[in-house]
Amino acid sequence: MTSGDRYEAGGYGLGLFYVKQIVELLGWSIDVTSKPGQGTRFTIKFKSDEKR
């Protein structure tokens, strides 16, 4: 039986959970869009007043 995932990579999605927590703690934002058959895009937006 398969999970329906396109790839056979295991995991529980914890990495994305940690990324979301860090992004929110820093006052940034994260956006996720997904299109079946095309993939998923993760966009992290930084504060505009952030020094580089």
Side-chain angles (χ1 to χ4, degrees):
M1 180 175 183
T2 63
S3 65
D5 291 338
R6 185 173 178 182
Y7 302 102
E8 294 298 324
Y12 297 99
L14 290 174
L16 293 175
F17 171 79
Y18 291 128
V19 168
K20 182 179 182 290
Q21 296 299 310
I22 293 168
V23 164
E24 289 178 349
L25 283 171
L26 292 171
W28 304 342
S29 66
I30 187 168
D31 184 54
V32 180
T33 56
S34 184
K35 294 182 180 178
Q38 292 184 4
T40 303
R41 178 182 297 217
F42 297 87
T43 304
I44 297 175
K45 295 181 182 178
F46 303 95
K47 292 170 148 181
S48 62
D49 63 344
E50 188 108 9
K51 292 183 180 180
R52 296 180 186 203

